[in-house]
Amino acid sequence: MTFSYSELAARSQAIGSHFSPLSTDHAEAAALLRGELTLKPHRLWRLPESPKWNENPFREVNWVAQLHMLRWLDPLRRRADAGDPSGVDLWVATVTSWIEANPPGRGRATYSWGDMVEAVRAMIMCFGLPMLTEHRPEALTVVLRSIEEHGRWLEDPKHVRKGNHALQQHQGLLVIGAVLEHEEWVDLAVERMTAMLKTSYDEEGINEEGAVQYHQINYSWWSLTKRRVELVRGAAPAEFRRIERAPLALAHATRPDGTYELIGDTEVFSLRGIPHPAVEFVASGGREGAPPPERVKTYASGYVFGRSGWGDDDRPFSEHTFYSLRFGPQNRIHGHVDGGSLTLFHRGAPVLVDGGKYAYDAVDPFRAHVLSRAAHNSVVVDGVEYDRTAEVTLTRSEIREGGEDFELLDRGYAGVEIRRRVLVLWDLEAIVVIDDVTAEDPVTAAQVWHLEPSAGHRKEGAVVLSAQATTKTWFAPVGEAPEVSVVKGRTDPWQGWTSYRWREKTPTRTVLMAKTGNRLRLQTLIDFSGADSAPEVTLHDNVAGTAAHVVSWTRPGQPVRSVAVGPGWFSRDSRGSSPDALVRLGTDSFGVGPP
């Protein structure tokens, strides 16, 4: 059988961060020629002269997938294009060895034909064709035949997966179709991409995956995919406009230190490299670009991102306070069971942290922990398994100049209903979290608060101080005191951990506030004013003959700070008003408190 290809397509499609020339190409090619392979974030591995293609020296699925992508060979191709063909023979020997050992669907490793893996590998082969034409034309036939096999594999709908893996598969089929001048594959790839965009991105620019870092990764991949389509077709379908709102959402998800909040499978990661005013603003610490128009943004797909401000001459962007709140489906791709979870960043540092990503090892108990409800700042119920098909609903939200009010409903625990209310009170420098738990049978439920790993703590009765270099935060129970405990680095069961980076386990103090019964109220005042002394907290129930209650707290020499909480409203005060007056004010003005 005679194969041909489009050299123009093979060269023009070799774009993107993994395929364009890099300053590191010479060093990486030289390392490969010495037999040294480093697939980040993993350690160096010595390449055998004749790979068996079942190697897994680090017992890591991610490493095996990267090995079989063959993407690590591309610096050899890029150096050859730059006039240094010293790595051509190694490229040819490796690719032909892989082809011989791994026929379609019958590879020597589980991931040899894994979804996304096969698509990336096919692109590597396509981009290497001009190099073979110039330096090793006798190898063209075997590589072209394998590319055609990859195309038939990707054409088959039963091999197409979902999320970013499916996107890579569509990209691979598009590139193969363009390079082999197989228009039916190009048409199929564009058709699949267009259909996928309608479910991958909503009208607000939020991606379907449950991890902020993957929102950026997917935006980059979709932007590259759009460019690939434009190269083939001249223009991309109108559906690609959905991704244009994504950069603004990414800016909202960025903390004042320029890094993303650790939601879902996200590591410590800075937002940059996207040409958008809001991205330039957060990436530069407020020195360039322009901030988003809203101070608080609620995304219908399950995210609240709020902050005290975007910065001005009196208070720069980096010194503002930020929080996030999660709701929505609990089974998102790369998402965690984090419904109702609250994070907090204050005075230049995280205060309440998420569990992080850790790794993609399905059998690792720590990975299971960071995915679980227990690794997030929400309510856990002992002895009841959480249903990952559940959806946490945002039932009400109110955003004012001086504070925000959110109510969420969670029925993910069988026979248990959790109603969480989060009041963010900027002028009082506090957050009040109220969890009402109703269960068919008595349960033990606990609010869980993961402190930043560097924080020390001190217990004063039921009140816990989180002490950091830049700030102090008090966690004070309101009303009948729960059982309060602080754990760190526990493994049976897992609790008191976070993971900022790949395979990193970091013990962190975690506060648990627990009660037992059928009808429970767990209410906590989070005081981030930085005060040295613990707040004295008072609860006033059924104030002025209404269903409202008032939480008041004070310290020696300071006026009483209070918040009145009623059905669908709240009113705050920092001048010592009586509970009755505060409730009357709130009910008369529908919750608009004193200025």
Side-chain angles (χ1 to χ4, degrees), residues 93-246:
T94 304
V95 171
T96 55
S97 168
W98 187 94
I99 293 170
E100 181 180 348
N102 298 280
R106 294 183 286 116
R108 293 188 180 175
T110 303
Y111 278 81
S112 54
W113 284 89
D115 48 287
M116 173 178 163
V117 173
E118 85 284 62
V120 174
R121 181 175 58 246
M123 288 191 282
I124 290 296
M125 293 181 184
C126 286
F127 303 153
L129 293 175
M131 175 187 70
L132 298 183
T133 298
E134 181 177 357
H135 299 286
R136 292 287 301 274
E138 73 279 7
L140 272 170
T141 299
V142 66
V143 176
L144 280 165
R145 183 181 292 114
S146 182
I147 292 171
E148 196 266 348
E149 288 175 341
H150 280 73
R152 295 198 182 283
W153 176 274
L154 290 167
E155 178 187 30
D156 190 336
K158 75 172 180 285
H159 295 142
V160 178
R161 295 300 181 257
K162 58 184 179 178
N164 64 78
H165 287 213
L167 173 59
Q168 297 300 330
Q169 290 179 305
H170 303 337
Q171 277 198 79
L173 186 61
L174 176 76
V175 170
I176 294 170
V179 170
L180 296 188
E181 299 177 299
H182 196 317
E183 285 300 313
E184 291 85 353
W185 286 349
V186 172
D187 291 342
L188 179 58
V190 174
E191 178 185 322
R192 287 175 174 175
M193 292 170 184
T194 304
M196 184 178 175
L197 270 168
K198 295 176 182 178
T199 58
S200 294
Y201 279 91
D202 63 20
E203 294 294 339
E204 295 181 299
I206 297 294
N207 185 258
E208 65 180 324
E209 305 207 25
V212 175
Q213 187 172 353
Y214 274 88
H215 290 185
Q216 169 159 338
I217 293 170
N218 276 285
Y219 172 76
S220 299
W221 281 335
W222 275 108
S223 298
L224 177 61
T225 301
K226 180 174 182 282
R227 181 59 183 147
R228 294 196 190 284
V229 174
E230 290 169 341
L231 287 169
V232 177
R233 290 285 182 79
E239 283 79 3
F240 275 85
R241 293 175 187 160
R242 284 175 175 254
I243 69 175
E244 294 173 2
R245 298 181 181 90

Side-chain angles (χ1 to χ4, degrees), residues 553-555 557-561 574-576:
W553 63 101
T554 188
R555 297 183 190 84
Q558 294 185 2
V560 176
R561 300 182 180 191
S574 59
R575 298 178 298 192

